[in-house]
Amino acid sequence: MAPHAHTHHEHHGADLIAEAARALVSGGEQWTSMREAVFAELARHERPVSAYDIADNLSAARGKRVAPNSVYRILDLFVTNNLAMRVESANAYLANTHPGCAHDCIFLVCDECGEAAHVDDETVSRAVRAIATSRQFKAERPVLEIRGLCKGCA
């Protein structure tokens, strides 16, 4: 059974922010200046970042305190609308570089450096959902995390 990774266009920088705004608005939500600031801060990180780190960085940049609970609410909205992915075991987030492309979250998480590589594999996603269905469980947002060491740390 060969893995199948679907293809999609990866967005970066200003293009990623514009695509996230488009996806959120097309989903019936508003793209506010605070949501844009949180997304831009999230998107500039290569590794998963916590809501507290985002709040601290935004507070420093704005010269006034940004509450972590506000950032958490925005990040939850982003996860719900497929603009961000949550690495559950680290309570940290990554920007989805292809908003609008629905898929399950499969992460390879390095215990040494904290890197989290996102993997798209339709075969694994279908298998996980089939297991849930066979037990009369409706999978809403499957997340699979494989902990270990990345190539650089191994």
Side-chain angles (χ1 to χ4, degrees):
M1 190 152 133
H4 170 2
H6 66 274
T7 59
H8 37 241
H9 177 70
E10 300 279 334
H11 299 276
H12 303 282
D15 182 46
L16 174 57
I17 295 168
E19 184 62 22
R22 187 203 60 72
L24 192 65
V25 170
S26 72
E29 298 288 346
Q30 293 181 354
W31 186 255
T32 65
S33 61
M34 184 61 168
R35 289 176 181 176
E36 182 173 359
V38 170
F39 189 83
E41 177 61 26
L42 175 66
R44 77 177 189 85
H45 292 274
E46 296 280 323
R47 291 194 166 99
V49 62
S50 74
Y52 285 94
D53 289 337
I54 291 171
D56 288 346
N57 293 343
L58 289 178
S59 294
R62 291 178 162 216
K64 64 179 184 176
R65 184 177 181 274
V66 173
N69 63 347
S70 297
V71 173
Y72 269 117
R73 281 193 298 273
I74 292 170
L75 290 170
D76 286 344
L77 176 73
F78 289 167
V79 169
T80 299
N81 286 276
N82 202 33
L83 304 182
M85 301 170 287
R86 182 168 184 248
V87 180
E88 304 286 336
S89 62
N91 194 23
Y93 300 83
L94 284 169
N96 181 358
T97 58
H98 40 87
C101 181
H103 50 80
D104 297 336
C105 293
I106 304 170
F107 294 108
L108 305 176
V109 182
C110 181
D111 289 327
E112 187 69 29
C113 71
E115 179 181 11
H118 178 252
V119 178
D120 289 325
D121 190 313
E122 294 301 318
T123 302
V124 172
S125 292
R126 279 193 298 274
V128 167
R129 288 180 177 272
I131 290 167
T133 300
S134 73
R135 289 168 175 74
Q136 290 84 44
F137 185 84
K138 184 179 180 217
E140 295 288 336
R141 191 177 59 87
V143 176
L144 178 63
E145 296 182 22
I146 302 166
R147 307 284 310 206
L149 297 176
C150 69
K151 180 180 178 180
C153 294

